[in-house]
Every structure is written in structure tokens, then in C-alpha cells.
Amino acid sequence: MNGDAKIYKTFSAVLLDKGLIDKAKAEEINLRQVKTGESEEDIIRSLRIVNDVDFVKYKAEFLRIPFVDLESIGFSPEALALVPQSVAEKYHLVPYRMDAKEKTIYVAMANPLDIETVEFLEKKTNLKIETAMAVEKQIDAFIREKYEREKGITTEVTRALDEQKVEEMKTESENLKAVSAEAPIAKIVNTILDYAVRSRASDVHIEPMEENVRVRYRIDGILQEKYILPRNVLEAVISRIKILANLKIDEKRIPQDGRFNINVEGSEVDLRISTLPVSYGEKVVMRLLRKASKVPSLPDLGLRGLALKNLIEAIERPHGIILVVGPTGSGKTTTLYSVLDKVATSRVNVVTIEDPVEYQMKGVNQVQVNVQAGLTFASALRSFLRQDPNIMMVGEIRDTETAELAVNAALTGHLVFSTLHTNDASGAAPRMMDMGVEPFLLTSALTCVVAQRVLRKICPHCHQDMEIPLDKEAEMKMTLGPIYEMIEDRWKKEGKKMTIPKIVGCDKCNNTGYFGRIAIYEVMPITEKISKLIVEKASASDIQKQAISEGMLTMKQDGYVKVLEGVTSIDEVLRVAQY
């Protein structure tokens, strides 16, 4: 613990310092303690001032001992193997990390001041014990999940270390190949991949650190730490993945890319593998692309009302460009696939150039970028024009040549879909002009711009409703304006008080309170007035003002509407749409 940490005389003083209670409430707690003889902790719990996690966190700060949130960290199978489940259950503790170099196990306890238990553990493991305070419910869940559900990886990590074969890998590539194919290493990799599929992860990161190896999963757009593996197994695990992806196992100085397929519970998953040399070894990122995924409909993605109507009107035109904009990972490609799914019929010829092809679509001619062979977005677009197309989809407009070709294709009677990296819908036209497209050509070709972000949906299994906090209510009223009043009137007519979702957390959502994702949109049709602004080279803010005056909802407004519908939380909207 930091020696400069603040010293508090009472627990209520911590809460007062953190702004969770005022002076009057602190005095009330002290007075009740004197009158009734109750402990300060029991009084604070009964008043429900803070949730369980904050209660333990601030109690740890009061006692000047470390705190660990077991729901936000990975666990070390190596550490878990050293403390039997019976001991963990009896003494209400969990080993969550191990430092082999320092010969130390890090243990989370409901009562870290229990010196006898700490001494018992030190004797049993013959290692130094570093304790931290954790929430009792989290300790119970950790024991239940890690000891009972994660027996496989714990056993295999222990076996891999016991066999003492890992050191041999450093000498010859043949030994490396042999060890990586050994049952324990193969099973560790299988467990990592199995969890990725079961948890709906889009990416898996295997990252070498100074003392261990961190395994993180991107679930619903957020990276979550799951496993902490010993450094000794790093090279064997990386080699196993390289063999599966047909990469050179002895090449560690340069990045490599590969792919392989796995079949989990009848569904085929395509994995894109990328290796990268970093400070402490090689990092591997695996992207999971589920082949059996059904293309979602536009309403399923989160489009509704006027935004949906405007987009459908744009895609029903026989020619023009429709741009979907947003940063990397904002779901642009998924939206384009949903649009293509709607327009791809037997009466039209649809061709796409993508990097990479993420969904296999029936009735669509999909081409993958191959820069080494000279197949780029621009060269493919030129070839498409000789393929008698009706509809073309270009994965991304990255340069002047692609931008000009896309505009020319739209002007010659084709319907073109593409993506662009801009923050909002109003920034798309200025970006295209920055690439060298003439404003008068752009206004003739561009029919609609869709901007989007993806955010996490509230878990349907555990969410609860709560009243809107006053500060949040003021912010929502200011952002939504008359829309807020309309929604409020609807609630009143139903005889209900307006509420928003409260984040809880359960086993099904991995205690995050969120399950699945939805998009928030702003759809800007290129009207006569907006066209005039583009020709005049007006700023993005002027274009946005005009679009809003014509009825466009901004992404933040769309997000807040979804909060009031109980779909997501205010925190999620602010996380992705506050810029």
C-alpha cells in the first residue's frame, strides 16, 4: 500500500471524503453508533449508501490494505492449482495471481487481516502470500466458476509446467513443434478458443508481459481479462497457434498473418491470426468470424423511425452513393451487409470488394482485396464496371482514386455503397472533397450518409429499473428537447413514472450487466439545401445544423431515446457518442 495514502479515523470519514455522504449524514452515523452500540459498518450497510463493491473498496482504503475487483481481472491457473478448492471454501479466499520470480501468490480474502489463515497458506504452499480485500459474493462466484468450470485449463497448465519440456523449445524449431503439439499445450489453446466462442468474443489477445502472459477477450466491444498464464508456456502456445495457421514458427522478428477454421458445437468459425513482436516476446491477436451468422435486418441493428425511412428511400433508388461512416469497430460493414441483404435479388448483379470478406452472402459476388497480387479497392472497381453490375459495394474509400471511381460509377447509373472514416454524417462530404472529389460531382452522386456507433445492450436476464438521477435527467432534456417531452407524455398516458435501466450483472452476462450490442445512428439524406451547402464548401457544423433542422436525430439523441426505451445505459451512450 502507498505510504502516502490518506489516513482516516472512521469509515464514514472515507465516504465523506469521497463525496458519498455529507457532514449531516456522517454525524447521524456517529450519533446512531453511540446511541445503539451498532458497528459503523452495520449502520452504513443498513443505510444502503454504497453498493457492495464500493463498500469493500472504501473499507479497504480505510484499513489501508489493497482491494481487488475479482470481476474485472483474469485468473492464474498456476496459482489456483496451489490452493485446493476445499481450502478456498473453508477460509473464504481465492488465489488469483502468481509471481514465480518473487515466489509470491496473490490471494483475495473477505478478511485479509486474518493472520492465522495467511500463515497457514504460507506453510502449505511454501510461498509468500500477498493479500487483498475482495467482495464476499465475488469470492464465492470466483470459487464456483474457476475451480469447477475451469478445471481443464488449470490441470493442463500444471501438466505443461510439470513435464519440464518448455525449456527445450528454445533450442530447435523441431523441439518447438513437438512440444506445441503435446496434449497440455494443445488443450490450453483449445480452452482459450472454446471460451472465445462461448462468450461471443470477436477477438482474442494473447499478450506477453514481464512476469506472465495475459489473455484478453473483446466481448461486446470491450476487452476483458480472463486468464493469466505462466511465461513458461508462452512460446509453446504461440507455436501451437502458428502451426494451426500455417505460419513460420521460427520467425519471431517480423509480423505474420494467417488463418484457420475451428468447429465448435456444430458452428464453423473462421479465425484470422496476426502475430507481432513486442517487448517481452510475440503477441497474437485472433479475430473470430462466425460463418453461420445470419445477416441482421436494419431494425435489428437499431434503425427505426425517420432514420430507417430515409435510408430505405435512398437504397431503393437505382443509382447514387450511400456512405456509412464511423471509426474502426463501429459496425459499418455489418450495416452494409444488412443493406445488401435487402437489395440483393435475382434481378440485379451485386459485386463487392472487401478487406476481408466477413460474411458469405448468397447471390452476391464477393471479392477479397489482395494487394500483393495488385487487387486493390480501386483496381477492383475498374473491373466491376466491365462486369455489368447494378449494385457495387466498396469496403472502404481510402484514397482519391477510389473516391473518384466510386463517384463516377454512381454518376453512370450504378448504386454504390461504401464506408468512410469520419466522426459524424456531416463530416462525410468535406472528407470526400479533401480527397479531391469536385463538390458539383459529389452532390450529383451522394444520396445519403449514415453515421453510427455500436454500444452494449442491457442484459435482459438481470436488469432492473431505476428513477432517472436529476443530473442525468437535465442532460437528457437538454439533448433531446421536445423529443423528451413526447416520451414523457407517453409514459404518463400509460400511468407510469419514467425510468431507465439499472446495471446489475449475472452469470449469463459475465457480471457486466450487458449482453449483446446495438447501434445508434444518424441518417442524413442529401436534400436540396444540404446539396447547396456542399457546393458552397460549407463546414461540417453548418451541414449538421441544416440536417437537424430537417429532422435528423444525432447519434447522442438516438442513444438517449434507446436509454429511455430500456435498451442501453446512459454511460454506454456517453462512452461512444461523446465527442
Side-chain angles (χ1 to χ4, degrees), residues 310-550:
N310 285 336
L311 180 57
I312 287 174
E313 281 179 3
I315 65 179
E316 284 177 348
R317 291 183 189 180
H319 55 81
I321 290 185
I322 296 170
L323 292 175
V324 182
V325 305
T328 302
S330 59
K332 300 186 296 294
T333 308
T334 303
T335 298
L336 282 181
Y337 279 127
S338 297
V339 169
L340 284 180
D341 193 49
K342 190 170 180 62
V343 298
T345 65
S346 59
R347 293 180 297 174
V348 292
N349 177 24
V350 183
V351 284
T352 75
I353 174 71
E354 305 169 53
D355 185 20
V357 173
E358 291 186 22
Y359 292 89
Q360 299 288 344
M361 296 191 71
K362 286 182 182 176
V364 176
N365 303 289
Q366 294 170 276
V367 179
Q368 183 156 312
V369 165
N370 186 342
V371 179
Q372 289 176 334
L375 182 57
T376 63
F377 286 121
S379 65
L381 254 177
R382 276 198 211 89
S383 300
F384 286 175
L385 292 169
R386 296 190 291 273
Q387 286 281 318
D388 184 30
N390 299 100
I391 297 164
M392 291 185 276
M393 194 265 268
V394 185
E396 186 185 334
I397 293 177
R398 294 177 180 171
D399 52 45
T400 302
E401 189 182 8
T402 310
E404 288 176 345
L405 284 166
V407 168
N408 289 332
L411 291 171
T412 53
H414 303 92
L415 184 58
V416 181
F417 300 105
S418 192
T419 70
L420 200 64
H421 287 289
T422 61
N423 277 338
D424 51 25
S426 59
R431 176 63 57 86
M432 290 287 278
M433 287 187 282
D434 287 345
M435 286 183 182
V437 178
E438 291 294 338
F440 67 92
L441 291 176
L442 187 59
T443 53
S444 302
L446 193 59
T447 56
C448 186
V449 182
V450 180
Q452 69 178 87
R453 300 286 188 280
V454 281
L455 37 69
R456 293 179 291 173
K457 291 199 301 188
I458 297 293
C459 175
H461 308 288
C462 65
H463 90 279
Q464 296 173 7
D465 294 326
M466 69 176 198
E467 287 184 19
I468 308 171
L470 291 175
D471 59 329
K472 305 287 187 190
E473 187 178 29
E475 155 72 10
M476 291 175 86
K477 276 182 178 177
M478 188 176 73
T479 304
L480 289 173
I483 301 167
Y484 187 92
E485 291 166 16
M486 286 168 56
I487 295 169
E488 195 172 31
D489 287 343
R490 204 185 307 148
W491 280 78
K492 282 176 182 174
K493 281 176 185 174
E494 292 175 7
K496 298 175 186 175
K497 191 170 183 181
M498 198 148 62
T499 60
I500 59 173
K502 180 184 177 185
I503 308 303
V504 182
C506 62
D507 287 345
K508 289 185 178 170
C509 63
N510 202 22
N511 290 305
T512 61
Y514 297 99
F515 190 93
R517 291 196 286 175
I518 196 165
I520 53 174
Y521 291 93
E522 54 188 42
V523 177
M524 186 179 80
I526 307 302
T527 60
E528 196 175 321
K529 287 182 179 177
I530 290 173
S531 291
K532 190 179 175 188
L533 288 172
I534 293 170
V535 170
E536 292 169 357
K537 296 189 177 179
S539 67
S541 59
D542 288 340
I543 294 171
Q544 186 179 52
K545 280 175 193 170
Q546 180 58 39
I548 290 169
S549 73
E550 293 177 10

Side-chain angles (χ1 to χ4, degrees), residues 200-229:
R200 303 171 292 106
S202 60
D203 301 85
V204 183
H205 293 239
I206 300 175
E207 304 167 298
M209 314 296 281
E210 187 177 2
E211 296 166 357
N212 46 48
V213 180
R214 180 169 66 172
V215 181
R216 294 192 293 171
Y217 295 84
R218 192 174 291 282
I219 302 168
D220 294 333
I222 305 293
L223 276 173
Q224 298 175 22
E225 195 174 282
K226 172 68 177 175
Y227 302 118
I228 299 169
L229 304 176

Side-chain angles (χ1 to χ4, degrees), residues 132-150:
M133 184 174 271
V135 179
E136 216 165 313
K137 284 180 185 174
Q138 288 188 1
I139 291 173
D140 292 339
F142 196 98
I143 292 170
R144 192 168 58 248
E145 183 185 337
K146 304 301 186 265
Y147 277 103
E148 293 173 18
R149 298 182 198 169
E150 302 287 353

